[in-house]
Amino acid sequence: MKILIETYGCQMNTADSELIQGILSAAGYGVAHTLDEADVIILNTCAVREKAEARILGRLTNMLPLKRIKPGLLIGVVGCMAKHLGQKLIEQVPYVDFVAGPDQYRALPEMIGKHHGHAEVRTEFDRSELYSGCSPKRPKGVTAWISIQRGCNYVCTYCIVPFTRGAERNIPACDILAEVKRVAADGCSVVTLLGQTVNSYRDGDITFAKLLKLVAQVDGIEQIRFTSPHPCGFSDELIEVIATEPKVAKFVHLPLQSASDDQLALMRRRYTYEEYLTIVKKLRTQCPEIAISTDIIVGFCSESEADYEKTKRALMENRYAFAFLFAYSERSLSIAARSMKDDVPREVKQRRLAEIIDIQQKISKEIYQSRIGQKVAVIVEGFSRRDPGQAVGNTRDFKTTIFPRGEAEPGDWVEVEIEDATSQTLKGRFVRILSKGRHPVVEEQIDVGISLGPTVSEE
Ligand code: SAH
Ligand code: SF4
Ligand code: F3S
């Protein structure tokens, strides 16, 4: 039987889809590359905003004809929306065959193999589940997502994630390092460490900063990225490792959400804007080449025009390399949905969002265009989907760069002279190889974007 997994939501889900593929491959299931080929279709879903769920429900509706054409086809829903809606999903979409929450993936081979015509729902949390011993099946390439923690302990009031993924659990450092060694042995040189609040990571006396240093020692690893850290507990030790460890990307995604202290308190973000700024300043002082990006929510409960203006000003002052910008979407289960009023009118949310998208786009464009004429080091990660003659990689400060491939191969560090730029991409000319990578061929294309949310701002 062949399985096709469609992934929605953040990189945690991308990593989980690879985990699920690994669990199912170990149980003897094959990989389908098209819907036609698939005996089982699994949607790995997101619940972070209403739109994310609406999109998945739309996709399920589109799949009904497939079920009719192909009797025996199984459709499963897993991930955050599966946990959020559970049994309700079966009531809404009766042809869904199985539903599994983020802690139930080990049960999937059994849920699929022993399926007897009636829908099965398994969404219980399992605080002990770290998927140790399971090997994710990754596409061949030079980049890899590595989960270092599951769940989240923060419980920001707007957020559904703690209720879909449960409490924070850290994967033992020895398991993380074994996984990094395994991907490095397979030819991967760029790893992105994933967790909802990676800097809260701890295993005995191994902090997140120490973990970065340990990963940097793994032979073959060239670039280490991570997402997302939380502004709370962003230690001086971590700032120092980012500034001084050459293999750690000079890039930090540091979600702000709002620059109004009243809003931050209502959101229970546990920092003030001033405290957030202190981290930004330290990062920029100790590591002048650092690029910083962020997440913003506008229109959260009781956000006034004055609150919003503070956030708008912060975007202009902090000059983020890029930002994921969202209008608040009330989520059932979240603390805000239970105890606050979603009282900013839709039109106001949309107006604020459109305005900051416009501001940020201009800033990003200026920042990217300021690189024109410079020669930059780029690690090659793959080839353009649209034009395989173009190589795609990233600078040390995580700016996606496209250039005619020349002699460049995935895994190489190359020098590129920047000739043009959009608000998201640098475009340039291959100058020379700086160092050869160890990996000869890449079959898969790369994904760009680094945030634990969808990788585009929403209208
Ligand atoms: N753990 C990460 C974020 C995960 S969700 C962190 O704390 O940084 C990714 C982003 O989605 C959040 O940073 C936030 O900006 C946005 N988000 C989360 N819940 C939302 C909601 N209910 N409405 C709108 N945006 C939301
Ligand atoms: Fe956790 Fe991030 Fe959601 Fe806050 S926004 S509850 S830190 S996942
Ligand atoms: Fe879940 Fe990630 Fe979405 S944790 S709710 S898939 S943003």
Side-chain angles (χ1 to χ4, degrees), residues 152 154-156 158-159 161-162 196-197 230 257 269:
C152 179
Y154 268 83
V155 205
C156 304
Y158 52 79
C159 189
V161 172
Q196 292 299 350
T197 59
H230 192 286
Q257 313 301 358
R269 284 293 287 180

Side-chain angles (χ1 to χ4, degrees), residues 8-10 12-13 45-48 80 160-161 164-165 196 452-454:
Y8 299 82
C10 66
M12 300 288 298
N13 262 12
T45 62
C46 176
V48 79
C80 292
I160 196 172
V161 172
T164 62
R165 292 195 162 253
Q196 292 299 350
L452 286 181

Side-chain angles (χ1 to χ4, degrees), residues 257-258 263 267 296-304 307-308 311 326-330 341-346 348-350 352-353 356:
Q257 313 301 358
S258 170
Q263 284 279 293
M267 290 174 167
I296 298 283
I297 300 175
V298 290
F300 182 59
C301 307
S302 79
E303 186 189 52
S304 67
D307 292 322
Y308 162 69
T311 304
F326 308 107
Y328 173 57
S329 164
E330 188 178 75
K341 230 175 138 202
D342 180 13
D343 55 0
V344 177
R346 204 186 142 77
V348 175
K349 287 180 184 171
Q350 292 308 317
R352 290 176 185 167
L353 182 59
I356 56 169

Side-chain angles (χ1 to χ4, degrees), residues 127-151:
R127 288 188 73 139
S128 66
E129 183 56 275
L130 289 169
Y131 294 106
S132 54
C134 298
S135 298
K137 192 170 161 63
R138 298 183 168 85
K140 212 166 160 48
V142 297
T143 60
W145 306 108
I146 309 272
S147 294
I148 66 162
Q149 62 185 184
R150 301 188 68 84

Side-chain angles (χ1 to χ4, degrees), residues 113-130:
K114 296 193 181 153
H115 191 266
H116 290 307
H118 60 273
E120 197 178 348
V121 178
R122 290 203 198 177
T123 56
E124 305 77 25
F125 280 141
D126 178 354
R127 288 188 73 139
S128 66
E129 183 56 275
L130 289 169

